[in-house]
Amino acid sequence: MNIVFLAAGRGSRLSELTGDTHKSLLPVAGKPALQHILDVAVAAKPRDITIVTGYRNTDIEDFVRATYGDAVRPVFNERYAEDTNILSADIGVDALRQPQHGYQIVETDIVMQEAGWQRIFRGARTASEWSTRGLYSEQLTGGTLKTGAGGNVTDIVYAPKYDAKYEGWSKLLGTLYVGRNEVQADRYIRKQAMQRTIAQYYMTPWVENLELLPCRELNLSAFFAASYNDVTAYRNASHQFEAMTAGHGA
């Protein structure tokens, strides 16, 4: 398995905390949030790991080299200020030595217990998978999907403004596994989409071309997980994770 981590964004809604550090390096339970993810990823002994940097790139690059040596390879997205994250995904995949074997794309503003990350980094598989946790609701909007028989995804949308018609759909967590059967289509369709604009999410090609990109749901509702893109969400996720690890272990 290959892994691509996305850590280029500025995190403007976290600006009161990220003036001197990248949001992925904010502390959670005594160590940088990113370290909780990378510790599990590196231990899984994947084929290759890249991490795409942008804002405060030297912070991340220095941390990765000091902590993981050459096990994680940083690559720089010089257009990070224009990009939502589709270009970062493309840069990270292009930097892989053998992307044809499939790859996991992971956003780094996620806090999750170790067993959840182990489930994600369990190794190469044929089918593509979108990770989910919880259900779309007024309190939990954004990327969401619907499944049919056998957990196959039948629809996927991005709905940041609450829309009642998606109530009860599975909420995307922020990780995508592209199986080897979809690698060629994923790379081609993403590059075509970027000709239009890079101010879009890496999920957009899947939203628009699901018939060409069959995939399944990886439901992680059994594990503690939370993403954060503002100060309140970060503090809540951090406090909940600390309480969970203190009471039950990682």
Side-chain angles (χ1 to χ4, degrees), residues 157-206:
V157 300
Y158 178 62
K161 184 177 180 180
Y162 175 71
D163 189 329
K165 69 182 178 183
Y166 303 124
E167 185 82 29
W169 288 29
S170 297
K171 178 70 180 69
L172 296 184
L173 180 60
T175 82
L176 163 66
Y177 181 77
V178 180
R180 64 180 63 198
N181 293 340
E182 285 72 55
V183 165
Q184 185 174 359
D186 173 61
R187 298 184 74 186
Y188 175 79
I189 293 170
R190 182 169 53 250
K191 290 182 187 297
Q192 292 296 110
M194 288 193 303
Q195 292 181 14
R196 183 171 72 239
T197 178
I198 62 171
Q200 58 180 311
Y201 290 99
Y202 68 91
M203 70 175 289
T204 303
W206 291 69

Side-chain angles (χ1 to χ4, degrees), residues 103-209:
Y103 39 84
Q104 185 84 49
I105 299 173
V106 181
E107 299 172 41
T108 54
D109 54 357
I110 301 171
V111 177
M112 181 159 54
Q113 69 184 106
E114 183 175 327
W117 289 120
Q118 289 172 340
R119 181 85 171 98
I120 287 174
F121 300 135
R122 67 191 185 279
R125 52 265 194 204
T126 301
S128 294
E129 295 177 338
W130 281 98
S131 299
T132 67
R133 186 183 186 280
L135 300 176
Y136 183 91
S137 65
E138 289 187 76
Q139 293 74 39
L140 205 58
T141 59
T144 184
L145 62 76
K146 180 172 68 171
T147 59
N152 293 314
V153 176
T154 58
D155 204 354
I156 181 170
V157 300
Y158 178 62
K161 184 177 180 180
Y162 175 71
D163 189 329
K165 69 182 178 183
Y166 303 124
E167 185 82 29
W169 288 29
S170 297
K171 178 70 180 69
L172 296 184
L173 180 60
T175 82
L176 163 66
Y177 181 77
V178 180
R180 64 180 63 198
N181 293 340
E182 285 72 55
V183 165
Q184 185 174 359
D186 173 61
R187 298 184 74 186
Y188 175 79
I189 293 170
R190 182 169 53 250
K191 290 182 187 297
Q192 292 296 110
M194 288 193 303
Q195 292 181 14
R196 183 171 72 239
T197 178
I198 62 171
Q200 58 180 311
Y201 290 99
Y202 68 91
M203 70 175 289
T204 303
W206 291 69
V207 171
E208 298 175 345
N209 301 274

Side-chain angles (χ1 to χ4, degrees), residues 36-80:
H36 291 283
I37 311 175
L38 289 182
D39 281 353
V40 183
V42 171
K45 301 186 183 304
R47 185 185 304 270
D48 199 6
I49 303 177
T50 62
I51 183 166
V52 186
T53 66
Y55 174 68
R56 299 196 68 88
N57 61 299
T58 56
D59 292 353
I60 297 174
E61 291 164 6
D62 290 348
F63 167 75
V64 165
R65 290 192 186 99
T67 311
Y68 304 102
D70 59 2
V72 181
R73 294 187 296 112
V75 290
F76 181 60
N77 177 1
E78 64 181 14
R79 299 178 65 190
Y80 70 89

